[in-house]
Amino acid sequence: MADERHRLADRVYRWLLRLFPQEFRGDFGEQMTDDFNDQRADAVAEGGMALARLWWRTLRGFAWLAPGEHLQILLRDASYGLRLMRRHSLATTAAIVTIALGIGANTAMFTVIKAILLDLPYKDPERLVAILTDSPKGYSAAVTLPQLDTWNHTTALEGLFGYWSMSPVVTGAGEARRVRCECASAPIFTVLGGAPLTGRTFTAQEDTEQAESVVVLHERFWTQVLNRDPNAVGRSLTLDGTPSTVIGIMPATFVGPRGRDVTDAWLPLTDCLRRFRAEKRTLMFVNAYGRLRPGESPRVVEAQLSAAMEAGAERSSSARVHLQPLTEQLVGDIRTLLLALFAASVFVLLIACANVASLLLGRADTRRRELAIRVAIGCSRAGIVRQLLTESLVFAMLGGAVGLLFAHWTLQLLVPSMPGWIPGLNRITLDTPVLAGFLVISLTTGLVFGVLPAWSASQVRPGTVLKDSVLGRRPARKRLRAVIVIAEVTLSVALLAGAALLLKTFLHLRPDNPGFDPARKLVMLINLPRGRYPDATGWRTFIDSLRQRISSEPAVESVEATSIVPLSGNINQATVQEDAAVAPMTVDAPIVTPGYVDAMRIRILRGRALSTRDERGAPEVALVNETLARRLWPTADPVGRSLSVELFGGTSSAVIVGVVADVRSSGNKLGARPELYVAFAQHPSSIMRVIVTTYEPADRMAPILKRHVAAIDPALPVGDAEPLTALVAGSVATWRFAAMLLGAFAGIALILAALGLFAVVGCWVAERTSEIGVRMALGASRARVLRLFMVSAGSLTIVGLLAGIALAALTTRFLSEWLVDTTPLDRSAFAGAGMVMIATALTASYLAARRATTIDPIIALRSE
Amino acid sequence: MASDARDPQRYLPLTPALFHVLLSLADGEKHGYAIIKEIEERTGGTVRLSTGTLYGIIKRLLQDGWIRDSVFGSTDRRRAYRLTAFGRKVAQAEADRLRELVRAADRTTLYPTAAKG
C-alpha cells in the first residue's frame, strides 16, 4: 500500500517536472526526484499535515521557477538569433521588409474590416432589423404611416420606430444654415441604444400632433454651432421658421439607422411630417426599423406583423412583412468585397511567409554544420526546433513592428480613398483589439514560415553533414524550395486574376462616359422652404429668375435645372400606366428645364427634346429613356403615345414626344433605370438642382452663384456648387478603391514571387557552378546553359500558373457581386493575369540564370 | 579559481534562501536532500526549501561558479556540491554585511535598554 503510494507520488512528481525546460530536467531531474522522495518519506514519518504542506511547497516552487527557466532559454535563443541577423544584414533586411509588407497589408485590412463589419455603433446590432414590405413588385423599404401604426399596436418587436430625414434651415443660432435632421418616432433612442449626453430624448407624448415642437441635438452641432453652450438645453432654435425647444444632446457616438455619422439633430416624426405639410397622412412613406426580442426568430415576427397588417383597416394589397437585418442593410453590399480584399491580403502574407521560409531554408543549409555540431554534442532535436522557431518568431516580431508602421501608412492612404457611402469609415483606427489581432497575425506568421525550415533543419544527421562539409558537398533541399515557389506563383496568379477582373469592370464602367457629359458643369441644390414658397408659382418664378440672372454671367454657357442629377442618388418617382389594363410601373421622373437634355449632351434617339413651348397650359409632354421605352413598348415606336402619369399625388396624361439614350444611375452596378423626363413648367418642384455649364472652375464660380441666389432671396441658404465630374468619379469610387487595392496586393505578390523565383534559380546556379564549368569546358554554349535553367524555372512557373488559374476559378466568384458586364471566369482577365505572371517569371529567372553564363570554366573547376 | 578577480560585494545582498544554501555547504560538500535537511534543522523548521527552489538556486550557483560538482561525494544518481573559493568569499561578504547591520542596530536604541543583557 505504502509502496503503491510511493510509486504514484514519484510518477506525479516526474510528470510535474515536465513543466521545466528539457535542459533543466536533464541536468537536475533525477536528483530532484530522489530528493523529493526523501522529503516525502520524512513528511510521512512526521504525519499530520506535513505531506500536504510539502506538496504545496513543491507546487509553489515549480510555479515560481519553471516559467523563468523557459524565459531564460527563450531570451538566449532570441539573442543568438539577433546576433545572426546582424551578421547577415542584407538577407535580414529583405526578410523583414517582406514580412512587414505581408503583416502591414493584413493588419490594415483587419482594421478596416473590424471597424466596418464588426464595430457597428449600436447595442446588440444583431437584433436590429429594417422592416420592409414584400409585394409582387419586390421588397420595399417604404412603409405607410397606417402600416406603422398597425405594427406599433403589436408586441411582436421589443421596439420599433418610423424614420424619415429632412434638411430644414436653422435660424436663431449664428448664420442661417441647413442642417441634416433625422425624424423618428420616440423609440429610436432605446431601440438603437443611446443615452443623451445631457438633457433627455423625446417621449411618445412629444411625437403627437398636439405636442410642442422639440429637438435633440447631436454633439457635433452643439460643439460647432452652439460652442458647447452649457445652457443649450432649454433654448429655442428656429427650424424652417417654426421654433423648437432643445431638450437634449446626443453624444457623438450615437449614430442613426443609416449608419453614417452625418446627422445634426433629431426631430419627432410627427413634427417633421407636419413641417412637410403632409396633409395626406396616408400618402406619406417612411422607413421602419425595429429591435427583435432576445432569441426571437425573425420569421415568427414577420408572420406576426404580416397578420397584424392583414387584420388592420388599412390593408394593402398582398404585401407581407420582411425583416432585413440592419447589419445586412448597412454593410451587406460591402461585406463580400471587404472579405475578398482581406483574403487577398492573407494571400500576400502567405507569399511573404513562403519567401521568408525559403530564405530561412537557405540559411538553415548554410548553418547545417553548426546545427550538426550542436546535435553531435548533445543538443536535442527539440532544442534545435525551438532555437530556430524562436529565431523566426524574432523575425516575425521585427517584421511585425515595421509592418505596423506600414499598416499605419496604408490606412492613411486607404481610408480617404474609400468610397464615402460606407458607414463607419471614421471608426477605422489601430485600437487595442486590432493590436491584439496584429500580435496574433505576427506570431502565426512566425510559426508559419518558421516551422518548415525548423523541422527540416532538425533532421540533420551529424555524421552525414560533417562528412559532406569535408567533401565540399552541398545539400539539396531543392524540392522543398521549388514547392514554395510554385505556391507563390499560384497565389500571385489568383490575385492577378481578381485584380484583372475588377480592373476590367472599372474600365467598363467608363467613368468618362456615363451617358452624359459632366465636363464643365456645376451642380447647385436649390431647396425652397415651403413656409415662404408655398406653391408652384413661387418655385417657377424663383428658378426662372435665377436662371436668367446666372446666364447673364459672361463665363456661363447655359443654365438648366433638374430634380434628379444622374449618379447622385437623389430620386423623385412617378407611377406610369399606359392603360388601366396594365399594372402601373414606378419610374424615376426627372423634372427638367427644356434645354437640360441638350446641355447634358444626352442623345435624342427619336422624336424631339422638350422645348420652351411645352409650358403650363400647353398639352402635357414627356420623354422616355431607352430602358423605359423597351419596357413599355418593346416593339412599337413610343413617340406619340400617351401615358397616365401620377406625380406628387396628382394624375395627368402626358404625350411622349421623344426617346433619349440611357444615363447611368446610382443604382445597383450603375445600370440605367427606367426614366420619364417631364417639363419643369408643367410639373414644378420646390427642390431642384441647377446645372451651370461654365468654363470657370468651381471655386471661382461657386461664390458668384451664391451671390445670385442671395440677390433673389437673402434668407435662402445654399451650399457650394460642386463639379459634376466629382459626382461621376464618386459613383465609381467603390470599384476604383477595390481595383486599386487588389491591384496593389497583386503587385506586391508578383514582386515577392519574382524574388522567390530569382533566389531559387540563383541557388541552382550556385549549386551547379562546377558542373556548368565542366559542361562549358566540354563546349556547351552559353545559350544552352541558359536554357538549362530557364526550362526548369519555366516548368515551376507553368505548374504554379495552372494551379493559380484553378485557385482563381474557385475564388473569383466572391467578387461576382461587384463585377459589371464580366463574369468571374472571364477569359481575357485570366489570360492577362497569366501573361503578366509568365513575363515576370521569365524576367526574374533570366536575371538569375544569366549568372550561370558568366561562369568561367577554369575558375569553376579550380574551386573544386 | 582562487584568483577569481570578481568582487564579491557586487552580488550582495543575497536572498535568504541562497545564503542558507551557501551556509549549508560551508562545512563540507552535500547533496540536495542533505542541504534541505540541514537548513531545516538549522532554522528549527522555519525555512523549508522545495526541490524546485533548491535546484533553481543550484543551477544559478553552478553557472556563476560559486559551487561545483564534487568529484568525490557524488554517486551514480546523486551529485554532491561544494563551495568554490569564490562562493565562500561571497558567503563571507554576506555574513560580514549582515553582522555590520546587526551591530548598527545594536548601536541604536532599537531595543529598550532594560531588555538588553
Side-chain angles (χ1 to χ4, degrees):
Chain A
M1 189 62 178
D3 232 27
E4 203 126 292
R5 255 192 240 147
H6 173 76
R7 261 204 300 275
L8 182 67
D10 187 81
R11 240 193 354 247
V12 171
Y13 188 85
R14 280 174 195 279
W15 187 79
L16 282 173
L17 272 177
R18 287 166 178 271
L19 288 172
F20 287 94
Q22 201 193 20
E23 243 177 62
F24 189 90
R25 260 183 290 153
D27 283 350
F28 302 111
E30 284 302 321
Q31 305 177 62
M32 287 172 80
T33 316
D34 287 351
D35 290 355
F36 176 76
N37 285 335
D38 287 349
Q39 273 185 311
R40 207 186 138 267
D42 287 353
V44 169
E46 202 177 317
M49 294 296 286
L51 193 59
R53 277 203 300 270
L54 173 66
W55 274 110
W56 168 240
R57 215 159 53 226
T58 304
L59 283 174
R60 210 180 44 187
F62 277 22
W64 272 108
L65 198 64
E69 287 296 323
H70 281 286
L71 191 67
Q72 264 180 31
I73 288 180
L74 192 72
L75 288 178
R76 195 188 60 201
D77 286 354
S79 80
Y80 182 77
L82 280 172
R83 275 206 305 275
L84 267 184
M85 283 184 198
R86 262 208 304 276
R87 218 181 304 152
H88 305 277
S89 53
L90 187 67
T92 303
T93 312
I96 287 178
V97 169
T98 306
I99 301 166
L101 281 175
I103 290 183
N106 246 269
T107 308
M109 276 320 293
F110 178 64
T111 312
V112 169
I113 285 193
K114 178 182 157 289
I116 294 177
L117 302 186
L118 305 178
D119 285 352
L120 288 165
Y122 310 112
K123 185 185 74 182
D124 304 334
E126 64 288 345
R127 284 200 282 133
L128 292 174
V129 289
I131 308 171
L132 312 181
T133 55
D134 180 10
S135 70
K137 277 197 272 178
Y139 292 128
S140 165
V143 163
T144 64
L145 290 174
Q147 280 172 334
L148 194 65
D149 289 344
T150 316
W151 297 330
N152 256 324
H153 285 119
T154 70
T155 52
L157 287 159
E158 191 176 286
L160 75 126
F161 61 91
Y163 174 92
W164 204 54
S165 60
M166 63 188 292
S167 307
V169 177
V170 170
T171 46
E175 62 175 289
R177 73 183 71 220
R178 221 165 252 295
V179 292
R180 283 188 250 218
C181 280
E182 293 191 318
C183 311
S185 8
I188 180 173
F189 302 101
T190 45
V191 167
L192 296 182
L197 213 54
T198 53
R200 58 182 182 86
T201 58
F202 37 82
T203 61
Q205 204 55 49
E206 280 161 333
D207 187 23
T208 56
E209 292 287 348
Q210 297 74 32
E212 297 275 305
S213 180
V214 292
V215 59
V216 174
L217 299 179
H218 186 276
E219 191 180 352
R220 181 179 40 236
F221 184 87
W222 180 49
T223 307
Q224 290 175 357
V225 181
L226 304 180
N227 297 317
R228 295 185 89 86
D229 174 9
N231 301 318
V233 173
R235 74 177 275 182
S236 175
L237 289 178
T238 307
L239 301 173
D240 274 352
T242 318
S244 285
T245 309
V246 177
I247 56 167
I249 291 154
M250 290 304 285
T253 48
F254 182 76
V255 178
R258 290 287 160 82
R260 291 182 56 196
D261 181 23
V262 290
T263 308
D264 295 303
W266 289 269
L267 294 170
L269 184 60
T270 315
D271 187 26
C272 278
L273 301 180
R274 191 167 56 203
R275 287 167 187 281
F276 198 68
R277 306 199 182 246
E279 277 83 22
K280 287 189 182 168
R281 213 167 165 264
T282 45
L283 282 180
M284 280 302 302
F285 286 100
V286 296
N287 300 128
Y289 299 93
R291 175 176 285 280
L292 295 170
R293 294 178 190 287
E296 185 74 281
S297 145
R299 300 290 89 79
V300 174
V301 178
E302 277 173 2
Q304 287 172 339
L305 294 181
S306 301
M309 205 160 65
E310 235 158 82
E314 294 281 342
R315 55 167 307 208
S316 57
S317 55
S318 56
R320 283 183 53 79
V321 170
H322 174 75
L323 298 182
Q324 182 186 31
L326 185 64
T327 52
E328 198 58 41
Q329 193 172 69
L330 291 179
V331 296
D333 286 341
I334 197 73
R335 185 185 294 135
T336 45
L337 191 62
L338 285 182
L339 290 180
L341 288 172
F342 184 57
S345 77
V346 172
F347 279 15
V348 171
L349 184 60
L350 283 178
I351 295 174
C353 285
N355 249 357
V356 176
S358 174
L359 193 94
L360 288 182
L361 270 180
R363 212 177 60 169
D365 280 346
T366 59
R367 278 174 69 184
R368 271 160 66 89
R369 251 173 75 83
E370 171 211 326
L371 297 175
I373 291 172
R374 278 177 184 242
V375 171
I377 61 175
C379 181
S380 69
R381 290 186 196 283
I384 289 195
V385 169
R386 192 194 55 215
Q387 160 80 41
L388 292 177
L389 270 186
T390 308
E391 284 177 38
S392 56
L393 285 181
V394 171
F395 253 119
M397 293 322 286
L398 284 175
V402 182
L404 204 56
L405 274 181
F406 278 2
H408 177 70
W409 292 328
T410 311
L411 285 176
Q412 280 186 337
L413 284 176
L414 200 64
V415 175
S417 74
M418 286 178 76
W421 62 267
I422 301 175
L425 289 183
N426 54 346
R427 290 193 301 270
I428 299 178
T429 48
L430 287 167
D431 54 12
T432 321
V434 167
L435 290 179
F438 152 79
L439 207 63
V440 172
I441 293 175
S442 302
L443 290 175
T444 316
T445 308
L447 286 180
V448 168
F449 69 64
V451 107
L452 205 59
W455 173 80
S456 149
S458 73
Q459 302 300 306
V460 289
R461 287 190 197 80
T464 337
V465 172
L466 297 175
K467 211 158 41 192
D468 279 357
S469 76
V470 169
L471 295 173
R473 252 188 289 176
R474 285 178 62 96
R477 223 182 297 274
K478 269 187 245 162
R479 208 178 303 153
L480 202 50
R481 297 187 74 175
V483 169
I484 288 178
V485 166
I486 290 174
E488 286 180 301
V489 172
T490 305
L491 292 170
S492 302
V493 168
L495 285 175
L496 283 169
L501 286 171
L502 283 176
L503 187 69
K504 199 177 167 196
T505 298
F506 178 67
L507 291 180
H508 168 84
L509 290 173
R510 294 277 306 271
D512 54 315
N513 184 17
F516 58 93
D517 179 15
R520 303 186 287 109
K521 289 190 178 57
L522 303 181
V523 187
M524 180 171 61
L525 170 69
I526 298 293
N527 188 346
L528 300 170
R530 298 251 172 153
R532 286 184 292 122
Y533 296 87
D535 58 28
T537 322
W539 309 338
R540 256 193 300 257
T541 315
F542 186 96
I543 295 291
D544 286 348
S545 50
L546 183 63
R547 283 182 60 205
Q548 220 151 37
R549 289 189 70 101
I550 297 175
S551 56
S552 69
E553 285 287 332
V556 168
E557 208 175 278
S558 73
V559 189
E560 301 296 338
T562 175
S563 63
I564 300 181
V565 176
L567 293 173
S568 67
N570 54 63
I571 48 171
N572 70 279
Q573 294 194 312
T575 310
V576 297
Q577 198 170 18
E578 194 183 4
D579 59 69
V582 193
M585 183 173 166
T586 305
V587 299
D588 286 355
I591 298 166
V592 299
T593 50
Y596 172 78
V597 168
D598 190 37
M600 291 287 272
R601 307 221 195 292
I602 298 171
R603 277 182 306 130
I604 298 169
L605 305 174
R606 264 172 193 286
R608 63 170 176 94
L610 298 176
S611 87
T612 45
R613 289 190 313 264
D614 301 320
E615 53 194 335
R616 191 155 63 114
E620 214 170 282
V621 293
L623 307 176
V624 291
N625 72 347
E626 277 178 278
T627 304
L628 181 58
R630 231 183 352 255
R631 293 258 184 103
L632 288 177
W633 302 283
T635 50
D637 183 359
V639 175
R641 290 174 184 267
S642 67
L643 273 179
S644 132
V645 179
E646 190 191 322
L647 184 62
F648 298 144
T651 309
S652 55
S653 175
V655 176
I656 308 300
V657 294
V659 181
V660 294
D662 285 340
V663 296
R664 290 202 186 287
S665 77
S666 61
N668 184 30
K669 296 184 176 179
L670 307 185
R673 294 154 46 124
E675 282 187 311
L676 181 83
Y677 293 79
V678 298
F680 174 69
Q682 296 174 337
H683 288 280
S685 160
S686 65
I687 304 176
M688 291 294 284
R689 279 140 183 109
V690 172
I691 308 242
V692 180
T693 311
T694 171
Y695 284 99
E696 293 286 333
D699 53 342
R700 279 266 288 288
M701 207 58 205
I704 300 177
L705 298 181
K706 268 186 167 174
R707 251 198 324 274
H708 284 299
V709 173
I712 304 175
D713 181 350
L716 184 70
V718 282
D720 283 335
E722 282 173 50
L724 197 51
T725 43
L727 204 62
V728 176
S731 69
V732 290
T734 312
W735 286 275
R736 195 185 50 213
F737 159 74
M740 258 174 44
L741 195 57
L742 197 51
F745 286 161
I748 295 174
L750 196 63
I751 292 172
L752 292 181
L755 282 177
L757 199 58
F758 180 84
V760 165
V761 175
C763 198
W764 291 344
V765 172
E767 271 166 23
R768 296 172 66 176
T769 302
S770 50
E771 179 205 325
I772 293 163
V774 173
R775 281 176 188 247
M776 288 179 77
L778 294 177
S781 70
R782 283 174 197 284
R784 210 182 150 132
V785 170
L786 196 60
R787 198 163 63 216
L788 194 71
F789 290 106
M790 293 298 280
V791 166
S792 315
S795 42
L796 288 193
T797 309
I798 296 292
V799 174
L801 188 69
L802 293 177
I805 285 173
L807 181 64
L810 288 173
T811 48
T812 49
R813 72 175 75 156
F814 295 107
L815 291 173
S816 61
E817 249 175 75
W818 290 91
L819 300 180
V820 180
D821 278 6
T822 179
T823 63
L825 297 180
D826 185 84
R827 262 185 237 159
S828 60
F830 275 54
M835 238 109 83
V836 169
M837 186 70 241
I838 289 176
T840 313
L842 285 182
T843 314
S845 22
Y846 171 74
L847 289 177
R850 207 179 43 174
R851 270 201 3 239
T853 65
T854 60
I855 289 171
D856 183 336
I858 314 247
I859 296 174
L861 293 172
R862 200 187 291 148
S863 73
E864 187 74 335
Chain B
M1 231 5 142
S3 60
D4 201 317
R6 291 178 292 177
D7 178 9
Q9 297 293 335
R10 256 180 59 204
Y11 302 95
L12 304 188
L14 305 178
T15 63
L18 198 146
F19 188 50
H20 275 304
V21 173
L22 291 179
L23 283 189
S24 69
L25 293 177
D27 48 4
E29 52 185 56
K30 287 191 182 58
H31 56 68
Y33 175 68
I35 297 174
I36 296 175
K37 222 43 204 166
E38 209 262 350
I39 294 173
E40 203 177 314
E41 275 161 22
R42 179 146 37 81
T43 61
T46 54
V47 178
R48 294 178 178 204
L49 296 186
S50 75
T51 41
T53 315
L54 175 70
Y55 282 95
I57 291 171
I58 287 182
K59 185 184 158 212
R60 205 200 122 188
L61 294 178
L62 282 170
Q63 262 171 7
D64 289 356
W66 297 7
I67 63 172
R68 65 179 128 138
D69 286 337
S70 158
V71 189
F72 308 109
S74 300
T75 61
D76 291 349
R77 291 177 66 89
R78 286 215 155 134
R79 277 184 290 166
Y81 302 96
R82 56 184 297 181
L83 273 185
T84 62
F86 183 70
R88 191 169 291 274
K89 265 197 222 161
V90 178
Q92 284 166 356
E94 174 72 357
D96 290 342
R97 186 184 71 85
L98 290 173
R99 195 174 299 120
E100 273 309 309
L101 217 54
V102 173
R103 281 200 193 124
D106 288 344
R107 281 195 296 274
T108 66
T109 51
L110 183 64
Y111 297 98
T113 343
K116 222 175 177 182

